Amino acid sequence: MLQRVMGVLAAVATVAMAGAAAAQAVIDRPIEGFPHAKVWTLEGDTPRPVVVILHGAEGGDEAGRIFGPELAQMGYAAVGLPYYSANWGDYGPPPQFPDLPGSFIDIPVDQLARLRDVLRTMPGVDVERFGLFGASKGSEFALIAGSRYPWIDSIVAYSPTDVVWEGWGLEMVEAEGTRSSFSFEGQPLPFTPYRGFVEGLLAGPSADLRAIHVNGRADHPAKAMAARIPVENYPGALLLIAGGQDAQWAASEAVSEIISDRAAAGLATEAVVYPAAGHDLVGDGPARDATRSGGTPEANAEARQDAWPKVVAFLQRTLTP
């Protein structure tokens, strides 16, 4: 009898807790000094760990709009940080945000420090637990930041790179190989040049993006070495996710390099590589077009479904007490 009563009480408590959680709405707020950036949280002033969402080459705010509310529902202060909005002038569609950099050149990594200072003043945000969630160029951004800031506790890096790459933009058509993707404290970071970037632009969707990266690295081994991201300087938790058939750059090879460099410094790295998958592995949504990603829609969807619970568990383990 007592067991039955306790079971009923436990069931009632579970339903009540579920109802309370469902009643907590996700709210979003702008972040002063960061155009188009938002922080998503559950209602209330309970301090929540920060997860900054760093988009890839697509730019704009799509990554924040997709993952901000989802991460907020998990109990994080999820920050969407648009830092680039492609502007190819007459050669492309108008930029989503004309007031953001329209070229991926010298993107300041140190804006994260300023962002953290502003977030510190906002209710419901705990900057003492600080994570980064990046994909592709966003992973490049995240790993550079992790190697420089000791207050970054946790990084999820989808389809990462182990080096800083050349920048791109309309002004680079006649200045190939001269500018970096990222800067730090006002100085451009050493970068690995591409081979055939302009030809790739002219080729459009048929361009071999992976070859542009791989061949550029082969052409410039000394520059690639100088552009290596010093991941051994990042002591925090790191989860890498990559596909063996990545058609945009050699992400699975980069995972091996990052693991090796950190292991030499006595640092552990968590990594999952899906041999049949491509570049587009973020989230747990349905299969998408694999034309530019590599892999197949089926392999990419399976990889996303497998990786997402690992990401959720990793963030929980590394950012919550």
Side-chain angles (χ1 to χ4, degrees):
M1 181 67 177
L2 180 59
Q3 280 187 316
R4 175 184 284 179
V5 171
M6 294 300 291
V8 170
L9 290 175
V12 170
T14 300
V15 170
M17 290 173 64
Q24 284 188 287
V26 171
I27 60 171
D28 65 80
R29 292 167 284 167
I31 302 173
E32 185 177 357
F34 290 86
H36 318 295
K38 290 182 178 180
V39 57
W40 285 267
T41 63
L42 294 175
E43 288 183 321
D45 293 340
T46 301
R48 304 181 186 280
V50 173
V51 177
V52 179
I53 302 158
L54 297 170
H55 61 69
E58 76 280 0
D61 68 351
E62 181 182 18
R65 285 187 287 106
I66 292 173
F67 295 106
E70 190 165 358
L71 289 168
Q73 286 282 5
M74 297 178 197
Y76 302 103
V79 178
L81 179 64
Y83 58 87
Y84 158 79
S85 186
N87 187 352
W88 290 99
D90 294 337
Y91 300 96
Q96 181 186 7
F97 299 127
D99 53 340
L100 292 181
S103 296
F104 211 115
I105 295 173
D106 294 347
I107 299 297
V109 173
D110 44 304
Q111 66 185 286
L112 282 179
R114 186 164 55 89
L115 174 68
R116 183 171 180 257
D117 288 342
V118 176
L119 291 173
R120 188 187 297 277
T121 69
M122 300 181 70
V125 180
D126 178 8
V127 300
E128 300 306 319
R129 295 176 289 169
F130 205 98
L132 303 178
F133 177 97
S136 191
K137 294 297 284 187
S139 287
E140 187 176 340
F141 192 153
L143 292 170
I144 295 168
S147 72
R148 285 161 171 79
Y149 290 125
W151 40 261
I152 295 174
D153 303 299
S154 177
I155 296 175
V156 175
Y158 281 93
S159 303
T161 174
D162 59 318
V163 298
V164 180
W165 287 98
E166 178 182 341
W168 72 74
L170 189 59
E171 64 267 51
M172 299 300 296
V173 172
E174 296 183 3
E176 217 174 339
T178 63
R179 303 290 296 276
S180 179
S181 285
F182 291 98
S183 68
F184 187 76
E185 296 182 345
Q187 297 299 312
L189 295 178
F191 64 91
T192 306
Y194 305 122
R195 185 208 289 180
F197 181 76
V198 173
E199 289 87 340
L201 284 178
L202 297 175
S206 65
D208 188 339
L209 299 178
R210 182 184 175 103
I212 288 170
H213 288 88
V214 171
N215 292 338
R217 185 168 185 154
D219 290 345
H220 302 280
K223 288 185 177 180
M225 180 61 68
R228 189 183 69 83
I229 301 171
V231 289
E232 66 277 7
N233 292 345
Y234 170 61
L238 176 59
L239 174 60
L240 307 173
I241 300 165
Q245 301 300 315
D246 192 314
Q248 300 208 15
W249 60 21
S252 60
E253 289 85 343
V255 166
S256 296
E257 292 293 331
I258 292 168
I259 291 173
S260 176
D261 289 343
R262 284 172 56 83
L267 298 170
T269 305
E270 298 181 48
V272 190
V273 175
Y274 299 96
H279 191 80
D280 181 15
L281 304 179
V282 188
D284 61 348
R288 293 183 281 264
D289 180 17
T291 305
R292 303 301 295 270
S293 169
T296 65
E298 295 75 20
N300 293 343
E302 288 177 9
R304 282 194 293 275
Q305 293 294 327
D306 184 75
W308 187 247
K310 294 178 171 62
V311 170
V312 172
F314 174 82
L315 290 173
Q316 172 75 20
R317 189 172 68 252
T318 59
L319 287 177
T320 59

